[in-house]
Amino acid sequence: MTVPLLLVDGHHLLHRAWFGFAARIHNRDKTIDRTGVFGFAALLRKAQTQHAVGFEIFAVFDSEDGALPRAATDSQYKADRPAPEPGLIESLALVKTALDHSGVRWIEQDGCEADDVIATLTQAARAVGRAVDVMSGDKDFIQLLDDPAVRLLNTGVKDERRYTTAAHIPPRYGVTPRQWPDYRALTGDPADNIAGVRGIGPKTAARLLTGHRSLESVPAAELRPAWAQQWGRARQWREMIRLDRKIDLPDGLLTATATDPLPAAPAVLETLDLW
């Protein structure tokens, strides 16, 4: 049997770790905040124990310049995102060291956003028959569900909603995974500062895309004049939302070998002399 793959959206998990604990976690003399690295290790270990025993686990991080290619198309792309807290950024290097210690491979590909790297690795794994789970809360990954052997895993929600599959998308949104970039271009994505077409909400977007339509196949007669004026921008936004599944990545990133049980977070910090 082929080993299934769990691809971890590294920055998303670090963000959850940094903001998701009720109390801050410090080193023993209370001078250094270790919440980021401790939380990341704890959440990843819990995900493995509950959802990914026998999986290969691989983490992907955004590069510092990863957003530049899309921002070159639209200068407003992610422009309104606040600067991350200093401690959060400082935790990133420690997280990567902790992954190395725990035997989890990872990549931060120059000039690339993690979404595109994850999409490319998903494509590569599926080409050899491996099932893939993507651990993230980012809805852009919905478009990967056009393959029924791909699932999304969000451990930050209730148990019954943790997995999202292709079957969940039409009842929730009125479109298919393949239509997700079109749908999102119409409704907008505040997280990436994509405005969407003014006057089009989720229900209207689903109606316009009924029957597996794309932006190009929506009849002009169904468009209000104000929408028609924004349609070119919508097509531009769609191309920004679409994941690139053909990123040029180093060979041999995936081993097709199950990741060993991960150590507990306190043990990781102890070994790395972070307490």
Side-chain angles (χ1 to χ4, degrees):
M1 294 180 63
T2 56
V3 174
L5 175 65
L6 177 67
L7 291 170
V8 179
D9 182 349
H11 277 87
H12 181 269
L13 186 58
L14 177 56
H15 190 273
R16 273 191 60 206
W18 185 256
F19 292 104
F21 282 74
R24 307 308 296 173
I25 299 166
H26 293 86
N27 64 339
R28 288 192 175 95
D29 64 10
K30 306 299 181 183
T31 59
I32 305 175
D33 191 328
R34 300 298 194 200
T35 307
V37 61
F38 182 97
F40 191 102
L43 291 172
L44 186 57
R45 182 173 186 263
K46 186 176 182 180
Q48 182 192 43
T49 301
Q50 294 184 345
H51 301 287
V53 173
F55 282 59
E56 178 182 2
I57 300 175
F58 192 95
V60 183
F61 297 91
D62 293 309
S63 73
E64 289 187 17
D65 59 350
L68 290 181
R70 286 182 171 91
T73 301
D74 186 339
S75 62
Q76 295 304 304
Y77 179 69
K78 294 188 175 181
D80 289 345
R81 286 196 175 184
E85 296 184 13
L88 179 62
I89 292 299
E90 292 164 2
S91 296
L92 185 57
L94 295 177
V95 163
K96 293 171 181 175
T97 301
L99 288 172
D100 290 337
H101 166 71
S102 303
V104 176
R105 293 164 65 85
W106 58 271
I107 188 173
E108 180 181 310
Q109 182 74 0
D110 288 346
C112 296
E113 295 190 73
D115 295 13
D116 297 316
V117 177
I118 287 173
T120 299
L121 291 173
T122 297
Q123 191 97 333
R126 290 298 304 127
V128 294
R130 300 179 66 185
V132 179
D133 287 351
V134 176
M135 184 176 172
S136 179
D138 188 341
K139 289 183 179 179
D140 282 345
F141 290 121
I142 285 175
Q143 58 197 282
L144 298 181
L145 299 179
D146 57 4
D147 186 324
V150 178
R151 302 183 297 182
L152 306 185
L153 171 63
N154 183 357
T155 59
V157 298
K158 293 181 179 180
D159 290 354
E160 62 270 19
R161 291 184 64 88
R162 286 190 171 182
Y163 284 108
T164 300
T165 68
H168 293 114
I169 304 308
R172 289 181 188 174
Y173 302 103
V175 294
T176 66
R178 191 177 298 274
Q179 292 175 294
W180 185 256
D182 299 74
Y183 174 83
R184 200 67 155 170
L186 294 178
T187 60
D189 183 356
D192 288 344
N193 207 33
I194 293 174
V197 176
R198 290 186 301 276
I200 295 182
K203 291 184 179 179
T204 301
R207 176 176 58 79
L208 291 171
L209 297 172
T210 190
H212 300 274
R213 292 171 177 171
S214 66
L215 294 180
E216 286 78 11
S217 58
V218 176
E222 296 186 21
L223 300 182
R224 296 177 183 174
W227 299 348
Q229 291 175 6
Q230 301 172 70
W231 219 246
R233 288 286 284 151
R235 288 195 292 268
Q236 183 183 42
W237 289 325
R238 180 187 58 189
E239 297 314 304
M240 294 168 61
I241 293 165
R242 275 181 175 159
L243 300 180
D244 187 347
R245 308 186 193 199
K246 296 181 180 180
I247 294 292
D248 187 14
L249 297 175
D251 294 331
L253 288 179
L254 303 178
T255 66
T257 302
T259 300
D260 290 334
L262 299 178
V268 173
L269 269 66
E270 191 72 47
T271 300
L272 298 179
D273 198 24
L274 297 176
W275 283 132

